[in-house]
């Protein structure tokens, strides 16, 4: 009987050990999302007036890849049009019961355990699909949304912000119109989503 109880105790402990779940920390979850965005290789569309040669080359290569993939000079492009948000939730519960009895023949025991484990991760990525020819207007709209209260003020701050957004829009539109008018050769460059960000790349 003692041997049966010892064996049963080992089974119960093993069940509890197998049912445990390692918690996911906030920093791990955030790092995972950032890694996924980095793998997406997003291409910036903001701050066009201060682009470096490398930033402009990345944008141009991405546009050419989209034009070749869609067989048009004015392809539809995917643009991350706002902040990325994430919700995390997780629950774990375990319950069990067991019974041991002995007869004249062989000891009989029963073990019943129930475990439920739930993990949920919800990530919101606002993606806007627009023709390449209207990308500058879409980016200007995003910048207006970020500027928020600055644009409702009746002072020099509002005028300065509005002037900067308009200059960015005009510069990006001119750059895009030039790419649309060119008949560039197609290559094997991967297509990437565009993103409005002052940090021109996430990787």
């Amino acid at each position: 009987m003692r041997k049966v109880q010892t064996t049963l105790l080992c089974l119960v402990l093993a069940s509890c050990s197998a049912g445990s779940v390692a918690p996911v920390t906030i920093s791990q979850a955030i790092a995972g999302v950032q890694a996924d965005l980095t793998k997406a290789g997003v291409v910036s569309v903001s701050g066009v007036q201060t682009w470096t040669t490398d930033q402009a080359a990345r944008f141009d290569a991405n546009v050419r890849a989209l034009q070749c993939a869609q067989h048009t000079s004015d392809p539809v492009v995917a643009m991350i049009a706002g902040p990325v948000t994430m919700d995390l939730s997780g629950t774990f519960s375990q319950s069990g019961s067991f019974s041991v009895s002995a007869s004249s023949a062989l000891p009989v025991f029963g073990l019943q355990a129930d475990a439920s484990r739930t993990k949920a991760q919800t990530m919101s990525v606002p993606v806007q699909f627009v023709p390449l020819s209207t990308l500058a207007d879409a980016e200007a709209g995003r910048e207006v949304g970020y500027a928020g209260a600055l644009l409702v003020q009746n002072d020099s701050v509002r005028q300065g912000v509005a002037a900067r957004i308009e200059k960015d829009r005009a510069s990006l539109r001119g750059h895009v119109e030039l790419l649309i008018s060119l008949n560039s050769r197609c290559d094997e460059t991967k297509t990437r989503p565009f993103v409005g960000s002052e940090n021109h790349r996430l990787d």
Side-chain angles (χ1 to χ4, degrees), residues 27-65:
S27 59
Q28 288 173 331
I30 293 175
V33 172
Q34 289 178 331
D36 287 342
L37 290 174
T38 298
K39 290 178 182 178
V42 293
V43 178
S44 176
V45 294
S46 66
V48 62
Q49 298 181 85
T50 58
W51 276 358
T52 64
T53 303
D54 180 64
Q55 289 164 354
R58 291 180 187 274
F59 179 87
D60 295 354
N62 195 49
V63 167
R64 284 195 300 272

PDB file of all heavy atoms in Angstrom, residues 27-65:
ATOM      1  N   SER A  27       8.248  42.960 -20.945  1.00  0.00           N
ATOM      2  CA  SER A  27       9.410  43.286 -21.780  1.00  0.00           C
ATOM      3  C   SER A  27       9.596  42.250 -22.888  1.00  0.00           C
ATOM      4  O   SER A  27       9.958  42.593 -24.020  1.00  0.00           O
ATOM      5  CB  SER A  27      10.675  43.372 -20.919  1.00  0.00           C
ATOM      6  OG  SER A  27      10.908  42.142 -20.248  1.00  0.00           O
ATOM      7  N   GLN A  28       9.343  40.956 -22.584  1.00  0.00           N
ATOM      8  CA  GLN A  28       9.457  39.919 -23.617  1.00  0.00           C
ATOM      9  C   GLN A  28       8.404  40.101 -24.701  1.00  0.00           C
ATOM     10  O   GLN A  28       8.682  39.927 -25.885  1.00  0.00           O
ATOM     11  CB  GLN A  28       9.311  38.537 -22.974  1.00  0.00           C
ATOM     12  CG  GLN A  28      10.503  38.115 -22.128  1.00  0.00           C
ATOM     13  CD  GLN A  28      10.246  36.822 -21.373  1.00  0.00           C
ATOM     14  OE1 GLN A  28       9.115  36.507 -21.035  1.00  0.00           O
ATOM     15  NE2 GLN A  28      11.310  36.070 -21.118  1.00  0.00           N
ATOM     16  N   ALA A  29       7.182  40.446 -24.282  1.00  0.00           N
ATOM     17  CA  ALA A  29       6.111  40.640 -25.262  1.00  0.00           C
ATOM     18  C   ALA A  29       6.417  41.818 -26.171  1.00  0.00           C
ATOM     19  O   ALA A  29       6.252  41.743 -27.397  1.00  0.00           O
ATOM     20  CB  ALA A  29       4.783  40.859 -24.530  1.00  0.00           C
ATOM     21  N   ILE A  30       6.869  42.923 -25.599  1.00  0.00           N
ATOM     22  CA  ILE A  30       7.195  44.114 -26.393  1.00  0.00           C
ATOM     23  C   ILE A  30       8.358  43.818 -27.338  1.00  0.00           C
ATOM     24  O   ILE A  30       8.344  44.205 -28.513  1.00  0.00           O
ATOM     25  CB  ILE A  30       7.518  45.301 -25.474  1.00  0.00           C
ATOM     26  CG1 ILE A  30       6.256  45.729 -24.710  1.00  0.00           C
ATOM     27  CG2 ILE A  30       8.085  46.477 -26.268  1.00  0.00           C
ATOM     28  CD1 ILE A  30       6.494  46.812 -23.686  1.00  0.00           C
ATOM     29  N   ALA A  31       9.370  43.109 -26.833  1.00  0.00           N
ATOM     30  CA  ALA A  31      10.519  42.774 -27.676  1.00  0.00           C
ATOM     31  C   ALA A  31      10.092  41.891 -28.841  1.00  0.00           C
ATOM     32  O   ALA A  31      10.601  42.024 -29.958  1.00  0.00           O
ATOM     33  CB  ALA A  31      11.585  42.071 -26.839  1.00  0.00           C
ATOM     34  N   GLY A  32       9.139  40.986 -28.604  1.00  0.00           N
ATOM     35  CA  GLY A  32       8.654  40.120 -29.671  1.00  0.00           C
ATOM     36  C   GLY A  32       7.955  40.896 -30.769  1.00  0.00           C
ATOM     37  O   GLY A  32       8.151  40.639 -31.957  1.00  0.00           O
ATOM     38  N   VAL A  33       7.119  41.866 -30.360  1.00  0.00           N
ATOM     39  CA  VAL A  33       6.422  42.694 -31.347  1.00  0.00           C
ATOM     40  C   VAL A  33       7.416  43.531 -32.144  1.00  0.00           C
ATOM     41  O   VAL A  33       7.318  43.669 -33.368  1.00  0.00           O
ATOM     42  CB  VAL A  33       5.377  43.590 -30.659  1.00  0.00           C
ATOM     43  CG1 VAL A  33       4.783  44.583 -31.647  1.00  0.00           C
ATOM     44  CG2 VAL A  33       4.276  42.743 -30.044  1.00  0.00           C
ATOM     45  N   GLN A  34       8.394  44.116 -31.453  1.00  0.00           N
ATOM     46  CA  GLN A  34       9.400  44.911 -32.153  1.00  0.00           C
ATOM     47  C   GLN A  34      10.191  44.056 -33.140  1.00  0.00           C
ATOM     48  O   GLN A  34      10.518  44.499 -34.239  1.00  0.00           O
ATOM     49  CB  GLN A  34      10.343  45.560 -31.130  1.00  0.00           C
ATOM     50  CG  GLN A  34       9.684  46.674 -30.329  1.00  0.00           C
ATOM     51  CD  GLN A  34      10.617  47.268 -29.287  1.00  0.00           C
ATOM     52  OE1 GLN A  34      11.511  46.598 -28.781  1.00  0.00           O
ATOM     53  NE2 GLN A  34      10.388  48.519 -28.948  1.00  0.00           N
ATOM     54  N   ALA A  35      10.479  42.808 -32.762  1.00  0.00           N
ATOM     55  CA  ALA A  35      11.208  41.914 -33.664  1.00  0.00           C
ATOM     56  C   ALA A  35      10.375  41.608 -34.908  1.00  0.00           C
ATOM     57  O   ALA A  35      10.900  41.563 -36.026  1.00  0.00           O
ATOM     58  CB  ALA A  35      11.577  40.619 -32.939  1.00  0.00           C
ATOM     59  N   ASP A  36       9.058  41.414 -34.719  1.00  0.00           N
ATOM     60  CA  ASP A  36       8.190  41.142 -35.867  1.00  0.00           C
ATOM     61  C   ASP A  36       8.142  42.338 -36.813  1.00  0.00           C
ATOM     62  O   ASP A  36       8.161  42.189 -38.034  1.00  0.00           O
ATOM     63  CB  ASP A  36       6.771  40.802 -35.394  1.00  0.00           C
ATOM     64  CG  ASP A  36       6.695  39.415 -34.769  1.00  0.00           C
ATOM     65  OD1 ASP A  36       7.612  38.614 -35.010  1.00  0.00           O
ATOM     66  OD2 ASP A  36       5.730  39.152 -34.043  1.00  0.00           O
ATOM     67  N   LEU A  37       8.061  43.540 -36.244  1.00  0.00           N
ATOM     68  CA  LEU A  37       8.032  44.736 -37.079  1.00  0.00           C
ATOM     69  C   LEU A  37       9.361  44.918 -37.816  1.00  0.00           C
ATOM     70  O   LEU A  37       9.393  45.358 -38.974  1.00  0.00           O
ATOM     71  CB  LEU A  37       7.730  45.968 -36.219  1.00  0.00           C
ATOM     72  CG  LEU A  37       6.304  46.063 -35.670  1.00  0.00           C
ATOM     73  CD1 LEU A  37       6.180  47.240 -34.713  1.00  0.00           C
ATOM     74  CD2 LEU A  37       5.294  46.201 -36.790  1.00  0.00           C
ATOM     75  N   THR A  38      10.441  44.567 -37.139  1.00  0.00           N
ATOM     76  CA  THR A  38      11.751  44.663 -37.784  1.00  0.00           C
ATOM     77  C   THR A  38      11.852  43.711 -38.962  1.00  0.00           C
ATOM     78  O   THR A  38      12.368  44.055 -40.027  1.00  0.00           O
ATOM     79  CB  THR A  38      12.862  44.354 -36.767  1.00  0.00           C
ATOM     80  OG1 THR A  38      12.824  45.336 -35.723  1.00  0.00           O
ATOM     81  CG2 THR A  38      14.230  44.382 -37.426  1.00  0.00           C
ATOM     82  N   LYS A  39      11.321  42.482 -38.794  1.00  0.00           N
ATOM     83  CA  LYS A  39      11.344  41.500 -39.881  1.00  0.00           C
ATOM     84  C   LYS A  39      10.522  41.979 -41.076  1.00  0.00           C
ATOM     85  O   LYS A  39      10.801  41.612 -42.216  1.00  0.00           O
ATOM     86  CB  LYS A  39      10.820  40.161 -39.382  1.00  0.00           C
ATOM     87  CG  LYS A  39      11.752  39.450 -38.417  1.00  0.00           C
ATOM     88  CD  LYS A  39      11.140  38.145 -37.937  1.00  0.00           C
ATOM     89  CE  LYS A  39      12.046  37.452 -36.930  1.00  0.00           C
ATOM     90  NZ  LYS A  39      11.438  36.192 -36.422  1.00  0.00           N
ATOM     91  N   ALA A  40       9.492  42.788 -40.792  1.00  0.00           N
ATOM     92  CA  ALA A  40       8.672  43.311 -41.890  1.00  0.00           C
ATOM     93  C   ALA A  40       9.451  44.305 -42.745  1.00  0.00           C
ATOM     94  O   ALA A  40       9.079  44.573 -43.890  1.00  0.00           O
ATOM     95  CB  ALA A  40       7.408  43.973 -41.337  1.00  0.00           C
ATOM     96  N   GLY A  41      10.544  44.860 -42.204  1.00  0.00           N
ATOM     97  CA  GLY A  41      11.396  45.753 -42.981  1.00  0.00           C
ATOM     98  C   GLY A  41      10.678  46.993 -43.473  1.00  0.00           C
ATOM     99  O   GLY A  41      10.816  47.370 -44.631  1.00  0.00           O
ATOM    100  N   VAL A  42       9.897  47.617 -42.599  1.00  0.00           N
ATOM    101  CA  VAL A  42       9.094  48.770 -43.015  1.00  0.00           C
ATOM    102  C   VAL A  42       9.961  49.893 -43.559  1.00  0.00           C
ATOM    103  O   VAL A  42      11.100  50.071 -43.160  1.00  0.00           O
ATOM    104  CB  VAL A  42       8.229  49.283 -41.836  1.00  0.00           C
ATOM    105  CG1 VAL A  42       7.175  48.272 -41.464  1.00  0.00           C
ATOM    106  CG2 VAL A  42       9.098  49.621 -40.638  1.00  0.00           C
ATOM    107  N   VAL A  43       9.390  50.633 -44.497  1.00  0.00           N
ATOM    108  CA  VAL A  43      10.098  51.735 -45.147  1.00  0.00           C
ATOM    109  C   VAL A  43       9.415  53.045 -44.774  1.00  0.00           C
ATOM    110  O   VAL A  43       8.204  53.170 -44.881  1.00  0.00           O
ATOM    111  CB  VAL A  43      10.099  51.562 -46.682  1.00  0.00           C
ATOM    112  CG1 VAL A  43      10.794  52.729 -47.358  1.00  0.00           C
ATOM    113  CG2 VAL A  43      10.779  50.251 -47.057  1.00  0.00           C
ATOM    114  N   SER A  44      10.193  54.002 -44.323  1.00  0.00           N
ATOM    115  CA  SER A  44       9.630  55.262 -43.847  1.00  0.00           C
ATOM    116  C   SER A  44       9.195  56.164 -44.991  1.00  0.00           C
ATOM    117  O   SER A  44       9.796  56.177 -46.064  1.00  0.00           O
ATOM    118  CB  SER A  44      10.652  56.003 -42.991  1.00  0.00           C
ATOM    119  OG  SER A  44      10.147  57.263 -42.613  1.00  0.00           O
ATOM    120  N   VAL A  45       8.141  56.939 -44.719  1.00  0.00           N
ATOM    121  CA  VAL A  45       7.701  57.958 -45.675  1.00  0.00           C
ATOM    122  C   VAL A  45       7.706  59.348 -45.047  1.00  0.00           C
ATOM    123  O   VAL A  45       7.300  60.317 -45.684  1.00  0.00           O
ATOM    124  CB  VAL A  45       6.280  57.653 -46.215  1.00  0.00           C
ATOM    125  CG1 VAL A  45       6.296  56.388 -47.044  1.00  0.00           C
ATOM    126  CG2 VAL A  45       5.267  57.529 -45.083  1.00  0.00           C
ATOM    127  N   SER A  46       8.135  59.454 -43.806  1.00  0.00           N
ATOM    128  CA  SER A  46       8.116  60.759 -43.145  1.00  0.00           C
ATOM    129  C   SER A  46       9.487  61.424 -43.209  1.00  0.00           C
ATOM    130  O   SER A  46      10.503  60.776 -43.448  1.00  0.00           O
ATOM    131  CB  SER A  46       7.691  60.608 -41.679  1.00  0.00           C
ATOM    132  OG  SER A  46       8.666  59.872 -40.968  1.00  0.00           O
ATOM    133  N   GLY A  47       9.485  62.719 -42.993  1.00  0.00           N
ATOM    134  CA  GLY A  47      10.730  63.476 -42.972  1.00  0.00           C
ATOM    135  C   GLY A  47      11.473  63.449 -44.284  1.00  0.00           C
ATOM    136  O   GLY A  47      12.714  63.432 -44.308  1.00  0.00           O
ATOM    137  N   VAL A  48      10.740  63.453 -45.397  1.00  0.00           N
ATOM    138  CA  VAL A  48      11.371  63.297 -46.708  1.00  0.00           C
ATOM    139  C   VAL A  48      12.392  64.391 -46.986  1.00  0.00           C
ATOM    140  O   VAL A  48      13.379  64.157 -47.704  1.00  0.00           O
ATOM    141  CB  VAL A  48      10.281  63.276 -47.807  1.00  0.00           C
ATOM    142  CG1 VAL A  48       9.507  64.579 -47.838  1.00  0.00           C
ATOM    143  CG2 VAL A  48      10.887  62.960 -49.166  1.00  0.00           C
ATOM    144  N   GLN A  49      12.207  65.558 -46.408  1.00  0.00           N
ATOM    145  CA  GLN A  49      13.132  66.661 -46.667  1.00  0.00           C
ATOM    146  C   GLN A  49      14.510  66.426 -46.051  1.00  0.00           C
ATOM    147  O   GLN A  49      15.488  67.072 -46.455  1.00  0.00           O
ATOM    148  CB  GLN A  49      12.552  67.965 -46.119  1.00  0.00           C
ATOM    149  CG  GLN A  49      11.238  68.373 -46.784  1.00  0.00           C
ATOM    150  CD  GLN A  49      10.696  69.677 -46.227  1.00  0.00           C
ATOM    151  OE1 GLN A  49      11.081  70.756 -46.673  1.00  0.00           O
ATOM    152  NE2 GLN A  49       9.806  69.595 -45.251  1.00  0.00           N
ATOM    153  N   THR A  50      14.593  65.516 -45.082  1.00  0.00           N
ATOM    154  CA  THR A  50      15.870  65.250 -44.423  1.00  0.00           C
ATOM    155  C   THR A  50      16.352  63.826 -44.693  1.00  0.00           C
ATOM    156  O   THR A  50      17.215  63.327 -43.972  1.00  0.00           O
ATOM    157  CB  THR A  50      15.737  65.478 -42.904  1.00  0.00           C
ATOM    158  OG1 THR A  50      14.704  64.623 -42.377  1.00  0.00           O
ATOM    159  CG2 THR A  50      15.410  66.927 -42.599  1.00  0.00           C
ATOM    160  N   TRP A  51      15.803  63.158 -45.711  1.00  0.00           N
ATOM    161  CA  TRP A  51      16.240  61.797 -46.028  1.00  0.00           C
ATOM    162  C   TRP A  51      17.719  61.775 -46.392  1.00  0.00           C
ATOM    163  O   TRP A  51      18.228  62.664 -47.077  1.00  0.00           O
ATOM    164  CB  TRP A  51      15.449  61.256 -47.217  1.00  0.00           C
ATOM    165  CG  TRP A  51      14.130  60.665 -46.841  1.00  0.00           C
ATOM    166  CD1 TRP A  51      13.603  60.530 -45.595  1.00  0.00           C
ATOM    167  CD2 TRP A  51      13.159  60.127 -47.751  1.00  0.00           C
ATOM    168  NE1 TRP A  51      12.368  59.944 -45.657  1.00  0.00           N
ATOM    169  CE2 TRP A  51      12.069  59.682 -46.965  1.00  0.00           C
ATOM    170  CE3 TRP A  51      13.109  59.977 -49.127  1.00  0.00           C
ATOM    171  CZ2 TRP A  51      10.935  59.100 -47.527  1.00  0.00           C
ATOM    172  CZ3 TRP A  51      11.987  59.397 -49.690  1.00  0.00           C
ATOM    173  CH2 TRP A  51      10.914  58.957 -48.895  1.00  0.00           C
ATOM    174  N   THR A  52      18.378  60.723 -45.953  1.00  0.00           N
ATOM    175  CA  THR A  52      19.744  60.479 -46.408  1.00  0.00           C
ATOM    176  C   THR A  52      19.681  59.749 -47.750  1.00  0.00           C
ATOM    177  O   THR A  52      18.611  59.306 -48.185  1.00  0.00           O
ATOM    178  CB  THR A  52      20.512  59.619 -45.389  1.00  0.00           C
ATOM    179  OG1 THR A  52      19.892  58.331 -45.303  1.00  0.00           O
ATOM    180  CG2 THR A  52      20.511  60.266 -44.010  1.00  0.00           C
ATOM    181  N   THR A  53      20.832  59.591 -48.378  1.00  0.00           N
ATOM    182  CA  THR A  53      20.879  58.863 -49.645  1.00  0.00           C
ATOM    183  C   THR A  53      20.398  57.435 -49.475  1.00  0.00           C
ATOM    184  O   THR A  53      19.681  56.887 -50.325  1.00  0.00           O
ATOM    185  CB  THR A  53      22.315  58.866 -50.198  1.00  0.00           C
ATOM    186  OG1 THR A  53      22.753  60.223 -50.348  1.00  0.00           O
ATOM    187  CG2 THR A  53      22.390  58.166 -51.540  1.00  0.00           C
ATOM    188  N   ASP A  54      20.755  56.810 -48.349  1.00  0.00           N
ATOM    189  CA  ASP A  54      20.355  55.432 -48.099  1.00  0.00           C
ATOM    190  C   ASP A  54      18.848  55.321 -47.901  1.00  0.00           C
ATOM    191  O   ASP A  54      18.217  54.388 -48.410  1.00  0.00           O
ATOM    192  CB  ASP A  54      21.082  54.904 -46.855  1.00  0.00           C
ATOM    193  CG  ASP A  54      20.708  53.469 -46.530  1.00  0.00           C
ATOM    194  OD1 ASP A  54      20.995  52.579 -47.349  1.00  0.00           O
ATOM    195  OD2 ASP A  54      20.104  53.239 -45.459  1.00  0.00           O
ATOM    196  N   GLN A  55      18.262  56.261 -47.179  1.00  0.00           N
ATOM    197  CA  GLN A  55      16.813  56.239 -46.952  1.00  0.00           C
ATOM    198  C   GLN A  55      16.047  56.417 -48.260  1.00  0.00           C
ATOM    199  O   GLN A  55      15.045  55.735 -48.512  1.00  0.00           O
ATOM    200  CB  GLN A  55      16.430  57.315 -45.947  1.00  0.00           C
ATOM    201  CG  GLN A  55      16.882  56.990 -44.531  1.00  0.00           C
ATOM    202  CD  GLN A  55      16.858  58.198 -43.613  1.00  0.00           C
ATOM    203  OE1 GLN A  55      16.607  59.323 -44.061  1.00  0.00           O
ATOM    204  NE2 GLN A  55      17.118  57.985 -42.344  1.00  0.00           N
ATOM    205  N   ALA A  56      16.518  57.330 -49.082  1.00  0.00           N
ATOM    206  CA  ALA A  56      15.867  57.545 -50.375  1.00  0.00           C
ATOM    207  C   ALA A  56      16.000  56.301 -51.262  1.00  0.00           C
ATOM    208  O   ALA A  56      15.060  55.921 -51.967  1.00  0.00           O
ATOM    209  CB  ALA A  56      16.487  58.751 -51.073  1.00  0.00           C
ATOM    210  N   ALA A  57      17.158  55.641 -51.211  1.00  0.00           N
ATOM    211  CA  ALA A  57      17.367  54.441 -52.019  1.00  0.00           C
ATOM    212  C   ALA A  57      16.444  53.313 -51.574  1.00  0.00           C
ATOM    213  O   ALA A  57      15.910  52.563 -52.414  1.00  0.00           O
ATOM    214  CB  ALA A  57      18.829  53.997 -51.920  1.00  0.00           C
ATOM    215  N   ARG A  58      16.226  53.168 -50.265  1.00  0.00           N
ATOM    216  CA  ARG A  58      15.322  52.137 -49.754  1.00  0.00           C
ATOM    217  C   ARG A  58      13.892  52.412 -50.227  1.00  0.00           C
ATOM    218  O   ARG A  58      13.173  51.487 -50.634  1.00  0.00           O
ATOM    219  CB  ARG A  58      15.374  52.091 -48.228  1.00  0.00           C
ATOM    220  CG  ARG A  58      16.684  51.570 -47.653  1.00  0.00           C
ATOM    221  CD  ARG A  58      16.620  51.563 -46.127  1.00  0.00           C
ATOM    222  NE  ARG A  58      17.897  51.220 -45.540  1.00  0.00           N
ATOM    223  CZ  ARG A  58      18.313  49.972 -45.322  1.00  0.00           C
ATOM    224  NH1 ARG A  58      17.528  48.960 -45.671  1.00  0.00           N
ATOM    225  NH2 ARG A  58      19.482  49.734 -44.770  1.00  0.00           N
ATOM    226  N   PHE A  59      13.484  53.656 -50.167  1.00  0.00           N
ATOM    227  CA  PHE A  59      12.140  54.014 -50.603  1.00  0.00           C
ATOM    228  C   PHE A  59      11.974  53.738 -52.093  1.00  0.00           C
ATOM    229  O   PHE A  59      10.983  53.137 -52.518  1.00  0.00           O
ATOM    230  CB  PHE A  59      11.875  55.497 -50.302  1.00  0.00           C
ATOM    231  CG  PHE A  59      10.516  55.976 -50.725  1.00  0.00           C
ATOM    232  CD1 PHE A  59       9.431  55.850 -49.876  1.00  0.00           C
ATOM    233  CD2 PHE A  59      10.323  56.544 -51.975  1.00  0.00           C
ATOM    234  CE1 PHE A  59       8.164  56.287 -50.264  1.00  0.00           C
ATOM    235  CE2 PHE A  59       9.069  56.979 -52.377  1.00  0.00           C
ATOM    236  CZ  PHE A  59       7.993  56.847 -51.512  1.00  0.00           C
ATOM    237  N   ASP A  60      12.936  54.169 -52.889  1.00  0.00           N
ATOM    238  CA  ASP A  60      12.859  53.983 -54.338  1.00  0.00           C
ATOM    239  C   ASP A  60      12.833  52.497 -54.711  1.00  0.00           C
ATOM    240  O   ASP A  60      12.066  52.073 -55.589  1.00  0.00           O
ATOM    241  CB  ASP A  60      14.044  54.666 -55.021  1.00  0.00           C
ATOM    242  CG  ASP A  60      14.012  56.181 -54.861  1.00  0.00           C
ATOM    243  OD1 ASP A  60      13.015  56.696 -54.320  1.00  0.00           O
ATOM    244  OD2 ASP A  60      14.999  56.846 -55.251  1.00  0.00           O
ATOM    245  N   ALA A  61      13.660  51.688 -54.040  1.00  0.00           N
ATOM    246  CA  ALA A  61      13.702  50.256 -54.333  1.00  0.00           C
ATOM    247  C   ALA A  61      12.369  49.597 -53.985  1.00  0.00           C
ATOM    248  O   ALA A  61      11.887  48.718 -54.711  1.00  0.00           O
ATOM    249  CB  ALA A  61      14.844  49.598 -53.556  1.00  0.00           C
ATOM    250  N   ASN A  62      11.765  50.017 -52.889  1.00  0.00           N
ATOM    251  CA  ASN A  62      10.484  49.449 -52.489  1.00  0.00           C
ATOM    252  C   ASN A  62       9.391  49.818 -53.494  1.00  0.00           C
ATOM    253  O   ASN A  62       8.551  48.991 -53.850  1.00  0.00           O
ATOM    254  CB  ASN A  62      10.106  49.936 -51.092  1.00  0.00           C
ATOM    255  CG  ASN A  62       8.997  49.116 -50.466  1.00  0.00           C
ATOM    256  OD1 ASN A  62       9.050  47.890 -50.462  1.00  0.00           O
ATOM    257  ND2 ASN A  62       7.987  49.782 -49.951  1.00  0.00           N
ATOM    258  N   VAL A  63       9.404  51.050 -53.969  1.00  0.00           N
ATOM    259  CA  VAL A  63       8.417  51.482 -54.965  1.00  0.00           C
ATOM    260  C   VAL A  63       8.584  50.693 -56.252  1.00  0.00           C
ATOM    261  O   VAL A  63       7.604  50.226 -56.849  1.00  0.00           O
ATOM    262  CB  VAL A  63       8.554  53.000 -55.229  1.00  0.00           C
ATOM    263  CG1 VAL A  63       7.759  53.405 -56.469  1.00  0.00           C
ATOM    264  CG2 VAL A  63       8.076  53.792 -54.025  1.00  0.00           C
ATOM    265  N   ARG A  64       9.819  50.511 -56.700  1.00  0.00           N
ATOM    266  CA  ARG A  64      10.056  49.742 -57.931  1.00  0.00           C
ATOM    267  C   ARG A  64       9.556  48.307 -57.786  1.00  0.00           C
ATOM    268  O   ARG A  64       8.976  47.736 -58.713  1.00  0.00           O
ATOM    269  CB  ARG A  64      11.547  49.752 -58.283  1.00  0.00           C
ATOM    270  CG  ARG A  64      12.031  51.062 -58.877  1.00  0.00           C
ATOM    271  CD  ARG A  64      13.393  50.908 -59.527  1.00  0.00           C
ATOM    272  NE  ARG A  64      14.416  50.474 -58.583  1.00  0.00           N
ATOM    273  CZ  ARG A  64      15.143  51.291 -57.840  1.00  0.00           C
ATOM    274  NH1 ARG A  64      14.960  52.610 -57.939  1.00  0.00           N
ATOM    275  NH2 ARG A  64      16.053  50.820 -57.016  1.00  0.00           N
ATOM    276  N   ALA A  65       9.793  47.714 -56.621  1.00  0.00           N
ATOM    277  CA  ALA A  65       9.336  46.341 -56.391  1.00  0.00           C
ATOM    278  C   ALA A  65       7.815  46.252 -56.439  1.00  0.00           C
ATOM    279  O   ALA A  65       7.251  45.309 -56.992  1.00  0.00           O
ATOM    280  CB  ALA A  65       9.856  45.842 -55.043  1.00  0.00           C
TER     281      ALA A  65
END
